[in-house]
Amino acid sequence: MLKPPVRDLRGKNVFLTGAASGIGRATAVAAAREGAVLFLTDVNQQGLIDVVAEITDAGGDVAYAAPVDVSDHDGVRAMAAEITADHGSMDVVMNIAGIASWGTIRAMTHSTWQRVVDINLMGPISVLEYLVPPMIEARRGGQIVNVSSAAGIIGMPWHAAYSASKFGLRGVSEVLRFDLAPHRIGVSLVVPGGVDTGLTETVDIAGVDNASPQFRKLKAHFKKRAVTSEEAAEAILRGIKRNTYWVYTSPDIRVAHLAQRYFPPGYNLAMTVMNRVANKALPDVRRAVRDDA
């Protein structure tokens, strides 16, 4: 595909999940400023109401907004059918909603593994199942945006369940990138590093009290190094308009990805050091054991 299918957002139908907070909210607001017609969802109804008010008060166009849990396959299917019947196909579909639960293999419960995969992987799949076919049939081209993570590239400490979901989304994106090219539908895979979003407040680490001084100190350190949600949103919209496959929101993840591919010894050393530093900062994580272990 030589030309980006979506070179600007003015008048384009743009759907996105996770619109009530963090990267989703910032991306919705930024897309509205560029003239997109928005279709928004989030499990947080009040947050969704707030962002719709913010956008429309500023003159933006929100054609649809309703709460949906993306892990509810039937709910996503009904939402997609309603949107398509009333408004036609989308030009841009963005999977941004997600949760973060971390822990060691001894501490993570099966229900946690399942919930992370249901929301971070099966949710986006449900969205793609029902919104991409109408895009193909409309023959206007378009762009898919799947927000994965640095943990969808590299082996970060305690991220096994989260990485399972994000590597999975990366695999889906890698295949659709080529499957959808004949239909002039591009795919962008976003791999954020540190982004100061609501996830920093709600992240769950097995065995760790989020109110403990050690956790609060680590979170404060993370926030100092993190980019803002607005900076991440800028990178995403730039990626859409250029049909960029790998979308990095910070240079450190680009370097890590390069090291993994072209300098494996450096990557292995960096991951080993990161693991040791993380376990030293929060030793309770290594000590945690789930009840049925």
Side-chain angles (χ1 to χ4, degrees):
M1 210 183 318
L2 297 177
K3 294 181 179 178
V6 180
R7 304 184 77 171
D8 70 81
L9 294 178
R10 185 163 298 282
K12 301 295 194 302
N13 288 342
V14 174
F15 171 90
L16 66 91
T17 66
S21 62
I23 296 174
R25 183 187 185 108
T27 304
V29 170
R33 279 200 300 265
E34 297 197 14
V37 179
L38 295 174
F39 298 79
L40 307 177
T41 190
D42 196 292
V43 72
N44 177 355
Q45 183 172 14
Q46 185 56 53
L48 195 58
I49 291 171
D50 292 344
V51 74
V52 169
E54 179 182 348
I55 290 170
T56 53
D57 287 350
D61 189 352
V62 179
Y64 177 95
V68 167
D69 180 347
V70 294
S71 67
D72 176 2
H73 180 77
D74 290 339
V76 172
R77 178 171 56 185
M79 174 189 64
E82 180 184 354
I83 289 174
T84 304
D86 293 345
H87 303 277
S89 65
M90 298 296 102
D91 297 293
V92 179
V93 172
M94 295 194 241
N95 281 305
I96 301 179
I99 61 169
S101 289
W102 307 341
T104 68
I105 193 69
R106 294 197 305 165
M108 294 276 284
T109 64
H110 183 74
S111 61
T112 299
W113 283 84
Q114 188 70 59
R115 180 160 173 73
V116 170
V117 171
D118 283 348
I119 294 175
N120 292 357
L121 177 58
M122 296 312 297
I125 288 172
S126 296
V127 168
L128 297 170
E129 277 185 274
Y130 295 108
L131 288 181
V132 172
M135 293 173 68
I136 294 172
E137 292 164 12
R139 299 184 178 183
R140 295 200 308 267
Q143 194 76 19
I144 306 299
V145 176
N146 289 327
V147 176
S148 178
S149 166
I153 298 176
I154 61 178
M156 299 173 68
W158 321 322
H159 280 63
Y162 189 69
S163 285
S165 66
K166 295 301 186 179
F167 267 80
L169 189 56
R170 174 183 169 186
V172 171
S173 304
E174 184 69 18
V175 172
L176 292 184
R177 175 187 186 185
F178 299 102
D179 277 358
L180 297 177
H183 304 287
R184 295 186 56 251
I185 298 175
V187 175
S188 294
L189 179 64
V190 186
V191 285
V195 182
D196 188 6
T197 71
L199 282 182
T200 60
E201 304 299 328
T202 61
V203 61
D204 172 54
I205 307 178
V208 172
D209 177 1
N210 286 8
S212 68
Q214 295 95 333
F215 183 79
R216 292 166 67 91
K217 181 180 178 182
L218 198 64
K219 188 168 71 173
H221 179 70
F222 170 85
K223 286 191 170 188
K224 283 183 181 177
R225 300 172 59 85
V227 302
T228 65
S229 296
E230 288 71 23
E231 290 172 311
E234 285 180 20
I236 290 171
L237 296 193
R238 190 164 54 245
I240 291 172
K241 289 180 283 189
R242 295 178 180 175
N243 187 25
T244 305
Y245 181 62
W246 291 107
V247 176
Y248 304 94
T249 63
S250 54
D252 54 341
I253 305 307
R254 186 192 298 271
V255 171
H257 196 191
L258 286 170
Q260 183 191 53
R261 287 180 290 174
Y262 302 115
F263 187 54
Y267 166 75
N268 293 342
L269 177 61
M271 291 300 101
T272 300
V273 171
M274 182 186 292
N275 199 286
R276 288 177 180 173
V277 169
N279 280 291
K280 185 176 180 181
L282 288 177
D284 287 346
V285 180
R286 181 178 286 182
R287 289 194 285 263
V289 179
R290 67 179 181 274
D291 291 341
D292 66 343

